[in-house]
Amino acid sequence: MSLPMQTATIEHPAAARPRLLLVEDDATVRILLEDRLDKLGWQVESAENGAEAFTMLREAPSRADVVLTDRMMPVMDGLAMTRRLKRDRELGHIPVVMLTGVAGADDVDAGLAAGVFYYLEKSSSPKVLASVLSAALQDVRRQRALSTELGQHRAGFHNLQLARFQLSKPNEVEPVVSLMASLHDRPELIIQGIYELVQNAIEHGVLRFGFQAKSQLVASGGWKRALAERASDPAYASGVAEASILRREGGLYVVVKDNGPGFEWRRFAESDPVRAAASCGRGLARAAATTFQQLRFNTTGNQVVGFIPAARRVQW
């Protein structure tokens, strides 16, 4: 396996270095990745296969914020390990980023069904590696913030039948999504899926970023700056998204719509091996596989209705 040698460094305060568990059976590759991840600001532990990694996490669930794993390994491969993690109540929240070669449709589908957060090509640049791991870490922090902010008020959300929000800025997404997810008995299980729908409405519907433009910006490291600049641009001030969640006897209905022109949602609502290692474009497919039992768009793609059953579907 060839690994690019160029390294991009990301600064983290010493006390705040995020923790990563690297699962890789090839000693040479493992050493190279450990060095690269250290330079990117991660505190790294390693395991040689999925069984060893699972045992390490069961013994100390807080030892890893993110798991980065190879796909093919002896004893227990990356997919089997991911399935076991996602079945475990204490470990199921940990994002798993999977290293892969060229992924086929079956591989992508299997990964989404197992609960893989992201596929990453083994030859990806350090900048792409840093971006993917940063997105996974943001997911972890989003879930922790949800638990902290809403722990004292959890009981009150059981009486809430309908919540509707209007938003137009990227920094409004996480607070809104946190409140919506809190209608579920285990909000940490559904927050990422709802986030994908609402964030998509803001990025594509309100701010009009397309897949190609976002891919290029993410790959170049300019995505966050471009998102902030467009959010403050008066030309996009009329854009608005609406996100609602409705409780019914069988579960929760999530409705997200925006006043944008829509997008080609059919390309993104299902897994596609062409995007298996792309820098973006898999959020909707992941949401459909892990959060929603049904996900239906209107013809243009600027409205989606998702259903989350009261007894959450378990695929892992």
Side-chain angles (χ1 to χ4, degrees):
M1 176 174 84
S2 62
L3 293 169
M5 298 306 296
Q6 179 187 0
T7 301
T9 303
I10 296 178
E11 296 295 333
H12 292 284
R17 283 168 64 93
R19 295 156 296 186
L20 184 142
L21 179 58
L22 173 64
V23 192
E24 170 61 65
D25 62 310
D26 187 310
T28 301
V29 173
R30 190 167 61 247
I31 292 170
L32 288 171
L33 282 171
E34 286 172 346
D35 180 67
R36 177 172 300 169
L37 292 162
D38 178 72
K39 288 182 170 66
L40 288 174
W42 291 84
Q43 179 180 329
V44 183
E45 278 194 280
S46 296
E48 296 185 7
N49 58 67
E52 181 183 354
F54 182 78
T55 299
M56 291 170 66
L57 291 169
R58 284 291 293 156
E59 291 174 350
S62 63
R63 74 194 310 158
D65 297 306
V66 177
V67 173
L68 177 64
T69 181
D70 194 6
R71 168 68 170 86
M72 302 300 297
M73 294 177 292
V75 186
M76 181 185 292
D77 66 19
L79 278 181
M81 179 199 67
T82 302
R83 292 188 188 100
R84 292 195 67 179
L85 288 175
K86 296 305 175 181
R87 291 191 191 107
D88 191 288
R89 189 178 183 91
E90 293 187 22
L91 304 176
H93 68 283
I94 301 176
V96 178
V97 177
M98 186 162 292
L99 294 168
T100 181
V102 179
D106 291 343
D107 288 329
V108 176
D109 288 340
L112 288 172
V116 170
F117 179 82
Y118 218 95
Y119 271 97
L120 188 65
E121 282 187 354
K122 293 179 178 179
S123 58
S124 296
S125 70
K127 189 173 291 186
V128 172
L129 174 64
S131 175
V132 169
L133 294 178
S134 176
L137 187 61
Q138 288 175 12
D139 181 37
V140 172
R141 290 173 173 167
R142 191 177 301 121
Q143 294 184 36
R144 289 175 181 166
L146 172 67
S147 298
T148 301
E149 293 170 6
L150 302 175
Q152 299 179 11
H153 310 289
R154 183 67 49 80
F157 285 99
H158 290 290
N159 300 319
L160 188 62
Q161 300 301 310
L162 171 66
R164 180 176 291 118
F165 306 88
Q166 283 194 342
L167 60 164
S168 59
K169 304 292 185 183
N171 62 2
E172 297 171 337
V173 173
E174 290 196 11
V176 165
V177 170
S178 294
L179 290 169
M180 293 175 70
S182 298
L183 270 71
H184 195 273
D185 289 338
R186 294 191 61 193
E188 72 277 5
L189 296 179
I190 69 168
I191 186 171
Q192 184 63 29
I194 298 176
Y195 176 85
E196 298 292 356
L197 300 189
V198 179
Q199 184 73 0
N200 182 72
I202 293 295
E203 291 180 359
H204 302 305
V206 174
L207 301 180
R208 312 291 175 90
F209 280 105
F211 171 69
Q212 293 298 334
K214 181 178 178 180
S215 297
Q216 293 170 4
L217 287 165
V218 170
S220 68
W223 170 240
K224 289 185 178 180
R225 184 176 63 182
L227 193 63
E229 289 176 351
R230 188 166 293 190
S232 62
D233 188 337
Y236 299 91
S238 62
V240 64
E242 183 179 281
S244 306
I245 187 163
L246 174 67
R247 188 192 304 277
R248 285 289 181 259
E249 184 176 350
L252 299 171
Y253 288 88
V254 174
V255 183
V256 180
K257 57 185 178 180
D258 60 74
N259 62 351
F263 70 111
E264 297 179 25
W265 59 269
R266 293 172 186 83
R267 293 177 53 201
F268 300 96
E270 297 181 355
S271 58
D272 184 343
V274 173
R275 297 193 310 276
S279 56
C280 61
R282 284 165 294 174
L284 294 181
R286 186 166 60 240
T290 62
T291 302
F292 296 99
Q293 188 176 80
Q294 297 177 3
L295 203 58
R296 296 181 178 177
F297 286 85
N298 65 356
T299 303
T300 58
N302 62 357
Q303 176 174 308
V304 59
V305 179
F307 175 66
I308 305 170
R312 186 173 177 272
R313 178 184 48 163
V314 177
Q315 297 184 353
W316 306 318

